[in-house]
Amino acid sequence: MTNSTIDLSASPIRIPVHFHGVVYNADHFPGGARTKGLGGGANCQQYVYELLRHFGFIVPDFRSSELWEDTEYTVVSETMRRFDLVLVNSRPLAWGAHLGLCLGSDLILHLSRRIGLPAIEPLAEMIRRDEYSYFIGAKTACRRCLREGQI
């Protein structure tokens, strides 16, 4: 990891400043009793969902396996595109998978325990690490409510 990895100002998507310094907190997961937005940090899922919601997407509080199984709010993406949800894991299962957001050009924004802050990395670099060695797939949020001019 380099300092440029955590320089979110280099993102092809303008990431609001309040998303830059979010710390990893495994206890702040989607639907968790103590989870409200990004206050107190977030896990990978909560971080990505809050960013998508900022851009007007409707995303339920899914855990990884629920997201992968969902067909009402998301569809499997054959070609990874900007704003797609990306799932990787240490094994070929969606349960417990790490979640990131495709920024385009194979770049993934994610919040991990190892790095501790939001980072941008190429997918190919991520899957070289044991904890992300299996690319589960990408999903496109299909029910979205985009505000004019945000994307």
Side-chain angles (χ1 to χ4, degrees):
M1 182 189 71
T2 65
N3 284 341
S4 62
T5 303
I6 57 174
D7 180 9
L8 302 190
S9 65
S11 169
I13 296 171
R14 190 182 76 65
I15 301 169
V17 174
H18 67 278
F19 285 91
H20 288 223
V22 177
V23 295
Y24 182 84
N25 183 343
D27 293 332
H28 288 208
F29 54 88
R34 294 181 287 162
T35 305
K36 184 170 175 87
L38 298 174
N43 79 344
C44 61
Q45 299 152 343
Q46 183 69 14
Y47 180 77
V48 170
Y49 294 159
E50 287 298 318
L51 185 58
L52 280 175
R53 290 172 184 144
H54 167 81
F55 285 105
F57 288 83
I58 298 171
V59 186
D61 285 332
F62 289 134
R63 298 307 303 262
S64 300
S65 56
E66 294 168 326
L67 170 63
W68 189 245
E69 293 169 5
D70 173 65
T71 58
E72 184 176 352
Y73 294 94
T74 62
V75 295
V76 173
S77 179
E78 298 299 321
T79 305
M80 202 168 57
R81 298 182 302 253
R82 186 174 288 186
F83 290 105
D84 276 357
L85 299 148
V86 176
L87 291 91
V88 292
N89 204 346
S90 61
R91 52 203 171 132
L93 300 172
W95 190 91
H98 180 63
L99 190 60
L101 185 70
C102 179
L103 300 176
S105 303
D106 196 41
L107 292 175
I108 309 300
L109 170 66
H110 67 113
L111 179 60
S112 70
R113 179 186 314 265
R114 186 172 75 74
I115 298 172
L117 293 169
I120 299 171
E121 298 184 90
L123 178 61
E125 190 174 308
M126 288 177 68
I127 62 175
R128 283 191 205 119
R129 294 196 295 275
D130 289 342
E131 67 264 33
Y132 307 138
S133 57
Y134 288 93
F135 174 66
I136 306 302
K139 297 214 64 183
T140 301
C142 59
R143 288 192 175 194
R144 55 188 173 189
C145 182
L146 298 176
R147 291 178 287 228
E148 192 71 359
Q150 288 253 294
I151 298 179

